[in-house]
Amino acid sequence: MGVVGDRIGPVRSRDRFLHGETFDSTEGDVRSPILSSWERCRLLGLSPDRSDLPFTQDFDADGPLVRAAAPVLDRLQSIFAGSRMNICLADGHGVVLERRFGDKALPRHLAPIQTVPGFVFAEQVAGTNGIGLTLAERGLVQVYGAEHFAERSQSSACTAIPVRDQLSGHIEGVLCLGYPYTDADPALVPLVRRAAEAVERRLMEQSSARERGLLQAYLEAGFRAAANGTEPRDGSPLAMAELLQSELDQSDRSLLKERATELMSSARRAATEVPLSRGRSVTLVSRPVTSSSGVEGIVIEALIPEDTERHAPAPAHAHADAAPRPPAPAPGMVRGLVLVGEPEVGRYAVAARRRLELLAEAGNRIGTTLDVDRTAWELAETAVPRLADFVTIDMPEAVLRGEESPNPTAEMRRTVVHGIRGDCPFYPVGSQVTLHPTTPHMRCMTTGQPVLEPDLKAALGWIAQDPAHAELLLAHNVHSLITVPLLSRGVLLGIACFYRSQDPAPYGDDDRALARELAARAALCIDNARRYTREHTLALSLQHSLLPRGLPEQGAVEVAHRYLPAETGVGGDWFDVIPLSGTRVALLVGDVVGHGLHAAATMGRLRTAARNFAELELAPDELLTHLDNLMVRLDREEGGDLPGAASTGIVGATCLYAIYDPTSRQCTLARAGHPPPALVLPDGSVSLLDLPAGPPLGLGGLPFESAEITLPVHSQLVLYTDGLIEDRHRDIDTALEQLHRALSHPDRAPEDTCRAVLDAVAPEHPGDDIALLVARTNALPADRIAAWDLDADPALVGRVRAAAMEQLDRWGLEESSFATELLLSELVTNAVRYGSAPIRVRLILDRTLICEVHDASNSAPRMRHAASTDEGGRGLFLVAQLAQAWGTRYTTGGKVIWAECALDAA
């Protein structure tokens, strides 16, 4: 989402869409109905900057819809008097029939397209807008700013709702409220719903001229038949029932029964035509009837064309005397009984259809995310105002964390409060909810069944919970309650409470059944979200436990790091900083393919292996080779080479490994399918290092290659995983350009660089993990390094020892001379005796005193336990006792035996 100028809504997404980019609506940048409408507009070839719309004068300006809506529009105009509200009524084809304005002077400042009836706002010609989208989605919609397809509508918002024929369910028109987006108000939704319902009620009270003519003809024929004492030609009111069975298919019969039920609910004389399959139609006629016992009801009879009479069965006489004598049919028509009953039955059928529509809507609106809180809100938003005026939802704290609550009644917390207005004094969100055993809330939790309280004034258990609070709610006309447990897979996740205040009728059993169905659907979605939250938390905890808890002490580089988990699931990204011998340091970033617990566990195994290989002083290319072999073995262990074995989703990994030596400022790097690092020089220039790519880990058998560069002091080496620069909403070149700009400040500390890079480059909603490691290089001063070259001559050992003691005196380490002298004697003597020339001795003064002896031999010394009769074999044992660490590393020209001695070792 974003705002540009006077536009609001998904501006950036819309701009990307108009430039041809495609993206998935599940990512949340654009609402699914809006994105679907945009796609349809693109397929139609519409242009967003086109301002002309079709105009027609061929519309009924005084038709049934306009007459039914006129008082409602008058009322809306009075409500919004003086405001910038644009009230619009359109027909079922998107043609504007009437315009009203809160401010009567407003039309003088608007274009004719926004003021004059006759313009067509159907989606196929006007693009995404309130009227067109309502007709396309067949439900209430709200469109904000940049969600409109046309440029002319970018500064406005609208709330639109279809107006239906309550008997047929057909959309007769659209009621749309347009306003500046700054005037948006949540109260507009229930207001426009009530307005549309008022128009629908008035439509139901009207009859078309054709319907009145059919009805009048039917009544006149009935009066004539009664006056003449004649019988209708079909001989039986039940003939139509048999005709339906023989002539109409199942879908036609169901449609006819549905329309007859709707007609019955009107409780008045009426007629309507029902189109059937194969081009046929039937006219349904309703009239009142009174039984001999005085019960008043409605008879629904069907008029069918006379040519169908040839297929009618023989007259049936059963129950003929029980049925009222119908009037004679109109000429050319045949009549038969379809349905007889009380009007209230029809009203129940209409209400049942509305309940089914709400359940269908709930299936689309509840569970759009894997977030527990959001799913609970979606249940409340679906129920208000069509089932309840207010909804509260309470859930245990453990459920909000993704766990199962061992005692949900003791840790219930208010999670949602939603209603038609915000002044009703329910307990606020976040408050602890303590429930007494007598409350309907506790009853529904203990029984697992919904509890209905039709009259809260008489609900003593509810009042006893908090009499003062109950009195406040009753003062706001809250009078009826349904509490429903949120149960899924036998786990109690919370309770949902539905309150009624505006409708004077109390809740009934049908309402309770509807609330239970809504809660059951929501509970399943909440449980899915809870399980996802638990798995995500476990994976995230595992991953954090496998990542470095802190950075080791070392002086080669100044380091800062960041780790950002993906929103959709934990991945396998990692980083590490590993101190090596000779003041060197290893920098490592990697990325395991896949997400979830398995990826995190594989990352932990790779990181541990990488640290172990680094301790062996392997060169970067050799270390990657060992990791590659490990990935191949892991894949085999998981069944990757077995026929029919289940896949784990882990198919490889990428890695970048670098070793920096502050004594020479040399950096050796190698990568395995990983993005190259960025190098920031002290002058501010930024570049991506051109390293041999290398294959990803896990392919096996392919070589890796190292590269060596010399880094100026205080250069910054930036290592990262692909989640930083790869995003489906952004071109990778754009991301790299953003990275270059964010890094072009060499005076920043590594911590500030990390922050700047994430702020400028990281996606707003990361779809993959991000690991970032920034290292600013240091160099060891030359006066803290001393080196001597000598031949393989035992007589030279004493000279080197003496020179080293002099160097220690210059460094002020006289107290370390004794231990250092013993170390050097043993190391140099071993090199002279068992190694080969050239031999080089080096002392390094850093956090410790480091002694290194290099020779050209590849044979490594081995410490062993010497027997009492052995003349030798104790040298390395003595070295191990005097040094706090020692070891061997191999170079291209031989090996180095090193030992570290604490500065206070003496």
Side-chain angles (χ1 to χ4, degrees), residues 729-751:
H729 301 304
R730 176 183 58 182
D731 186 77
I732 191 170
D733 291 333
T734 302
L736 290 175
E737 183 180 346
Q738 293 171 343
L739 178 62
H740 277 239
R741 286 199 300 266
L743 293 176
S744 59
H745 299 274
D747 53 336
R748 283 185 182 144
E751 188 69 27

Side-chain angles (χ1 to χ4, degrees), residues 560-817:
H561 62 87
R562 291 289 190 278
Y563 170 74
L564 231 63
E567 288 188 353
T568 56
V570 174
D573 291 18
W574 87 95
F575 63 91
D576 214 340
V577 179
I578 308 170
L580 301 177
S581 63
T583 70
R584 299 172 307 139
V585 66
L587 306 174
L588 176 70
V589 292
D591 183 3
V592 175
V593 177
H595 289 84
L597 286 172
H598 195 278
T602 303
M603 175 272 289
R605 299 169 78 174
L606 276 181
R607 176 174 176 257
T608 302
R611 291 189 69 92
N612 291 335
F613 294 146
E615 293 291 337
L616 295 176
E617 302 281 1
L618 297 178
D621 55 342
E622 295 177 356
L623 182 138
L624 293 181
T625 299
H626 284 282
L627 289 181
D628 183 48
N629 294 334
L630 175 62
M631 282 299 299
V632 173
R633 289 196 299 272
L634 290 178
D635 186 57
R636 289 173 180 169
E637 289 174 6
E638 296 294 339
D641 290 344
L642 299 178
S647 172
T648 62
I650 305 298
V651 296
T654 65
C655 185
L656 172 63
Y657 186 70
I659 297 176
Y660 175 69
D661 187 347
T663 64
S664 62
R665 296 185 287 109
Q666 295 293 312
C667 185
T668 308
L669 308 96
R671 63 187 180 117
H674 201 83
L679 176 62
V680 185
L681 296 177
D683 62 2
S685 60
V686 181
S687 63
L688 296 180
L689 294 181
D690 186 14
L691 304 180
L697 301 177
L699 297 183
L702 297 176
F704 299 94
E705 186 178 351
S706 295
E708 187 173 284
I709 59 173
T710 301
L711 300 180
V713 179
H714 293 162
S715 298
Q716 289 196 30
L717 197 61
V718 181
L719 291 72
Y720 52 89
T721 55
D722 57 5
L724 178 67
I725 58 174
E726 292 185 4
D727 181 30
R728 69 180 67 183
H729 301 304
R730 176 183 58 182
D731 186 77
I732 191 170
D733 291 333
T734 302
L736 290 175
E737 183 180 346
Q738 293 171 343
L739 178 62
H740 277 239
R741 286 199 300 266
L743 293 176
S744 59
H745 299 274
D747 53 336
R748 283 185 182 144
E751 188 69 27
D752 296 332
T753 299
C754 278
R755 186 181 304 110
V757 167
L758 289 185
D759 290 344
V761 187
E764 184 177 354
H765 303 284
D768 194 6
D769 291 14
I770 297 174
L772 176 64
L773 191 64
V774 178
R776 182 163 65 183
T777 63
N778 296 321
L780 199 65
D783 60 359
R784 301 180 70 176
I785 304 172
W788 302 272
D789 296 319
L790 67 155
D791 297 327
D793 184 355
L796 300 178
V797 175
R799 296 181 186 176
V800 172
R801 188 167 55 235
M805 295 307 100
E806 293 177 3
Q807 183 63 50
L808 290 182
D809 290 342
R810 287 193 291 270
W811 285 341
L813 300 177
E814 296 86 354
E815 296 179 354
S816 301
S817 298

Side-chain angles (χ1 to χ4, degrees), residues 832-853:
V832 170
R833 182 176 298 178
Y834 303 109
S836 58
I839 298 174
R840 183 177 177 85
V841 179
R842 188 167 69 157
L843 289 182
I844 302 174
L845 178 59
D846 192 45
R847 297 173 184 269
T848 61
L849 181 63
I850 303 170
C851 304
E852 295 183 346
V853 178

Side-chain angles (χ1 to χ4, degrees), residues 316-337:
H317 302 284
H319 308 292
D321 294 338
R325 181 186 296 258
M333 304 293 288
V334 177
R335 173 176 47 206
L337 178 65

Side-chain angles (χ1 to χ4, degrees), residues 342-603:
E342 296 181 73
E344 197 67 23
V345 177
R347 296 192 184 99
Y348 286 154
V350 173
R353 189 182 70 205
R354 293 191 180 276
R355 289 193 291 271
L356 289 175
E357 291 173 351
L358 180 57
L359 288 176
E361 181 179 335
N364 295 325
R365 294 184 61 180
I366 301 176
T368 60
T369 67
L370 287 173
D371 180 83
V372 174
D373 280 330
R374 182 61 217 161
T375 305
W377 273 101
E378 288 170 346
L379 168 60
E381 290 168 348
T382 302
V384 175
R386 299 170 67 179
L387 174 62
D389 296 316
F390 300 96
V391 173
T392 65
I393 299 177
D394 305 323
M395 290 192 288
E397 293 182 3
V399 172
L400 298 175
R401 297 192 303 267
E403 305 168 4
E404 293 184 12
S405 175
N407 187 12
T409 60
E411 58 169 1
M412 200 68 69
R413 188 167 294 278
R414 179 59 47 87
T415 306
V416 172
V417 177
H418 183 59
I420 57 176
R421 60 182 189 272
D423 61 344
C424 208
F426 291 98
Y427 295 132
V429 172
S431 60
Q432 189 79 24
V433 178
T434 303
L435 300 176
H436 293 180
T438 58
T439 60
H441 311 72
M442 185 63 76
R443 283 159 50 200
C444 85
M445 292 175 65
T446 55
T447 63
Q449 298 296 324
V451 175
L452 168 64
E453 291 287 357
D455 185 5
L456 288 178
K457 292 181 180 179
L460 300 181
W462 176 77
I463 295 175
Q465 166 77 18
D466 188 341
H469 182 67
E471 186 175 350
L472 284 175
L473 291 177
L474 293 173
H476 281 73
N477 204 33
V478 175
H479 62 80
S480 193
L481 166 67
I482 300 173
T483 61
V484 187
L486 298 173
L487 286 168
S488 179
R489 304 180 180 97
V491 178
L492 180 63
L493 305 173
I495 53 174
C497 301
F498 303 87
Y499 295 88
R500 179 172 285 179
S501 65
Q502 286 195 330
D503 189 345
Y507 280 127
D509 290 335
D510 290 340
D511 299 309
R512 178 172 56 184
L514 176 59
R516 176 171 53 189
E517 182 65 24
L518 285 177
R521 298 187 182 201
L524 182 61
C525 296
I526 290 174
D527 193 45
N528 289 338
R530 178 190 67 82
R531 289 169 175 248
Y532 170 80
T533 301
R534 180 186 61 188
E535 295 296 330
H536 183 74
T537 302
L538 287 175
L540 195 59
S541 299
L542 173 62
Q543 187 171 47
H544 278 299
S545 69
L546 296 174
L547 290 171
R549 299 277 180 98
L551 297 180
E553 292 186 3
Q554 47 80 36
V557 291
E558 300 173 45
V559 180
H561 62 87
R562 291 289 190 278
Y563 170 74
L564 231 63
E567 288 188 353
T568 56
V570 174
D573 291 18
W574 87 95
F575 63 91
D576 214 340
V577 179
I578 308 170
L580 301 177
S581 63
T583 70
R584 299 172 307 139
V585 66
L587 306 174
L588 176 70
V589 292
D591 183 3
V592 175
V593 177
H595 289 84
L597 286 172
H598 195 278
T602 303
M603 175 272 289

